[in-house]
Amino acid sequence: MPNEGKNTMQGRHFLHIPGPSPIPDRILRAIAMPIIDHRSAEFAALGRHVLEGSKTVFKTKQPVVIYPSSGTGAWEAAIVNTLSPGDTVLMAETGHFATLWKQIATRFGIEVVFTPGDWRHGADPAAIEATLAEDKGRRIKAVMVVHNETSTGATSRIAEIRKAIDAAGHPALFMVDTISSLASVDYRHDEWQVDVTVSGSQKGLMLPPGLGFNAISEKALAASKTNTLPRSYWDWQEMVKINANGFFPYTPATNLLYGLKEALAMLQEEGLDNVFARHERLAAACRAAVKAWGLEVLCQNPAEQSPVLTAVLMPPSHDADRFRKVALEKYNISLGSGLGKVAGKVFRIGHLGECNELSLLGALSGVELGLSAAGVPHRSGGVAAAMASFEGKDQANVATAAGA
């Protein structure tokens, strides 16, 4: 009898959401290592290796702590180690995840000045500078920004925001969420004088969900000695003290740390600059496809368009979730949904982590087929435009030749 109700498609599933990203076979094999005693010398060597190696990805010489947690846990750790109830922080409304970070802060009794945004741009350095310059009483204790807003495909200009804070002469801590940008987009914790960088394992690091990261400046560590929000699990002081010997204050996610060791090796082998260039190359090709289809990229500023994902606006009266369902059922491809204010209005194509030219072209073929199957108005030729982008060809000439 036929297997009714079950997916009987042959071939690989195309996972092109903006994370969790596909896990390379090398990392899967590393995670499959036998469990070891987390109080042993063997584990201490592993702990020291990943704690030190993680610094290279954040581009810092300062401590990086690793929690068995999601990125949300890493957000919470950044808050409870630096702020006190009643403190004020400045955030920018760049999308769904900036909004979630705001909600967490509010639950801890933090007052949030939330600079309004249209979900089509990154954080505005000029607006941040103006708000800080008006804060004569130094009420604002931290500036908190999402580097790559996963819900919109807009990347904030962190170096310019650092300059804006300095231009205002403001002493606020600077906290940045790199959950979807770390190891995919150039990021410089020390050079940009970031005080707390928040990240997670399931995006550019190519691991399963389950590890949360905080990279911590000396200024942030000093703040953690005087702030009054309670914490136990998230406490930096205990983590940094015990991490010095390669251990953790509670049972660590040992096998994810094996995977992290392999991920760091893969990034080092390719070279971080090459990793960043690859992501830029893939993103440019994806945007070329969207343009050829006659659709619109959600992020409006070309300088802020994400190397990690591309959020695509649906034509009016067409539902993005219906299109995603058709594409999944007919062509076995998973695309990211619209979140929050853009739910049903956009779909998101992830091109991060273990992704190359051929895997992206396969995904774009699935999108183009899905658009046709779902009856979404579009022009053909998106895949050809992406190929032309990879080949460095002028897309207008390619389109003219195709129509000749």
Side-chain angles (χ1 to χ4, degrees), residues 35-47 242 245-254 257:
I35 200 74
I36 60 173
D37 176 8
H38 59 283
R39 303 297 179 209
S40 67
E42 182 183 4
F43 179 86
L46 171 65
I242 296 178
N245 295 317
F247 295 111
F248 290 75
Y250 34 70
T251 306
T254 306
L257 296 180

Side-chain angles (χ1 to χ4, degrees), residues 31-271:
I31 292 171
M33 288 284 289
I35 200 74
I36 60 173
D37 176 8
H38 59 283
R39 303 297 179 209
S40 67
E42 182 183 4
F43 179 86
L46 171 65
R48 286 193 295 267
H49 182 94
V50 296
L51 288 163
E52 193 63 30
S54 296
K55 294 179 182 180
T56 63
V57 185
F58 287 91
K59 295 189 178 179
T60 184
K61 295 180 180 178
Q62 304 301 320
V64 175
V65 298
I66 305 172
Y67 297 103
S69 81
S70 66
T72 304
W75 274 348
E76 184 165 320
I79 291 168
V80 299
N81 279 286
T82 58
L83 301 169
S84 300
D87 280 351
T88 299
V89 300
L90 174 61
M91 292 185 174
E93 185 194 4
T94 51
H96 181 70
F97 291 97
T99 304
L100 290 180
W101 202 2
K102 170 185 178 289
Q103 290 172 1
I104 292 173
T106 301
R107 289 171 184 166
F108 281 103
I110 307 299
E111 182 181 339
V112 179
V113 177
F114 204 41
T115 304
D118 61 3
W119 289 43
R120 304 196 70 176
H121 296 83
D124 182 356
I128 289 172
E129 181 179 344
T131 302
L132 294 176
E134 292 172 0
D135 182 29
K136 305 299 183 184
R138 300 301 188 245
R139 187 171 57 99
I140 295 170
K141 302 301 181 185
V143 175
M144 302 165 74
V145 176
V146 175
H147 184 203
N148 186 80
E149 179 54 74
T150 326
S151 63
T152 67
T155 302
S156 291
R157 293 161 282 160
I158 301 303
E160 293 183 35
I161 294 171
R162 175 72 261 174
K163 291 177 182 177
I165 297 170
D166 293 343
H170 203 287
L173 293 166
F174 189 21
M175 303 189 197
V176 180
D177 164 3
T178 67
I179 290 171
S180 65
S181 60
L182 189 75
S184 298
V185 185
D186 189 16
Y187 184 77
R188 309 176 186 192
H189 177 89
D190 285 359
E191 182 180 329
W192 296 339
Q193 299 175 60
V194 179
D195 293 300
V196 187
T197 299
V198 172
S199 203
S201 56
Q202 73 275 18
K203 308 276 188 173
L205 289 174
M206 304 173 288
L207 293 163
L211 296 180
F213 299 80
N214 280 176
I216 311 161
S217 73
E218 291 181 3
K219 182 178 174 181
L221 272 175
S224 73
K225 295 176 181 177
T226 58
N227 81 305
T228 60
L229 273 172
R231 65 270 189 186
S232 174
Y233 186 86
W234 306 116
D235 186 40
W236 286 344
Q237 300 297 328
E238 188 73 5
M239 284 285 274
V240 170
K241 180 175 68 175
I242 296 178
N243 283 171
N245 295 317
F247 295 111
F248 290 75
Y250 34 70
T251 306
T254 306
N255 287 59
L256 287 178
L257 296 180
Y258 276 127
L260 176 58
K261 180 181 178 181
E262 193 66 24
L264 293 171
M266 291 178 69
L267 293 168
Q268 183 179 29
E269 289 165 16
E270 186 175 359

Side-chain angles (χ1 to χ4, degrees), residues 3 24 98 103 105 117 126 149 217 230 297 314 319 324 332 335 364 367 374 377 380 382 392 398-399 404:
N3 252 341
Q103 290 172 1
E149 179 54 74
S217 73
V297 173
M314 291 292 283
D319 182 74
R324 290 173 51 252
N332 204 18
L335 300 165
L364 295 175
V367 173
S380 62
V398 171

Side-chain angles (χ1 to χ4, degrees), residues 317-332:
S317 77
H318 287 269
D319 182 74
D321 292 334
R322 177 184 174 276
F323 155 69
R324 290 173 51 252
K325 184 174 185 290
V326 170
L328 175 62
E329 292 177 351
K330 289 188 68 69
Y331 302 111
N332 204 18

